[in-house]
Amino acid sequence: MSDSVNHPRTFEILTAEPVRRRRKPRDWSDDEKARIVAATLQPGANVSAVARSEGLDPSQLYGWRRKALASGVVAPLTEGTGAQKFARVETVSKGSVDIVIADMIVRVGGDFEPDHLVRVLRAVRKA
């Protein structure tokens, strides 16, 4: 008999986590995709955060964005065009709207001049 029988031996016990079941793929309608992609094109939007909030993998959302931009259906806002980076604003009700820019609030009533509002917002952004 060998002398190694009386020596201490080390055993390693391996444990494993159960494998997660793969989720069933979800069919997204074109309207849902358009809404989510539009949210990612807003100034300051974080694509990964939008994806997580919608239950998507960020790579899937980046793929949707890439296809939408390549098809010309949507276009990102650009800095160098000199065009306004504001949406067209028209009065539709008599209520008021609060616009928050950094630590400033611009309160706009129901009867306003859109061109004047653009000048005010530009001034606030420069301040």
Side-chain angles (χ1 to χ4, degrees):
M1 280 219 195
S2 133
D3 197 27
S4 65
V5 173
N6 295 327
H7 293 298
R9 295 183 186 185
T10 304
F11 292 95
E12 189 172 335
I13 299 174
L14 302 175
T15 59
E17 293 290 323
V19 177
R20 282 189 354 201
R21 290 185 144 201
R22 186 179 163 124
R23 287 189 297 192
K24 181 180 177 188
R26 179 174 170 183
D27 289 328
W28 295 86
S29 70
D30 290 339
D31 291 338
E32 288 176 309
K33 288 180 184 180
R35 177 185 57 80
I36 297 169
V37 167
T40 66
L41 296 173
Q42 297 300 317
N46 181 324
V47 178
S48 294
V50 172
R52 283 190 300 271
S53 71
E54 296 290 338
L56 283 167
D57 188 75
S59 64
Q60 184 177 19
L61 185 51
Y62 276 109
W64 290 353
R65 271 177 51 119
R66 195 171 26 260
K67 285 180 183 176
L69 291 170
S71 70
V73 174
V74 296
L77 295 174
T78 57
E79 293 281 340
T81 61
Q84 293 180 359
K85 291 174 48 177
F86 301 106
R88 179 82 180 138
V89 180
E90 295 183 22
T91 306
V92 292
S93 71
K94 296 295 182 190
S96 67
V97 175
D98 292 347
I99 302 171
V100 179
I101 301 174
D103 60 344
M104 295 181 243
I105 299 175
V106 177
R107 184 165 288 128
V108 181
D111 52 345
F112 66 90
E113 199 55 43
D115 294 330
H116 180 68
L117 177 61
V118 169
R119 288 192 299 274
V120 168
L121 291 175
R122 284 185 180 151
V124 168
R125 289 181 70 193
K126 289 180 183 177

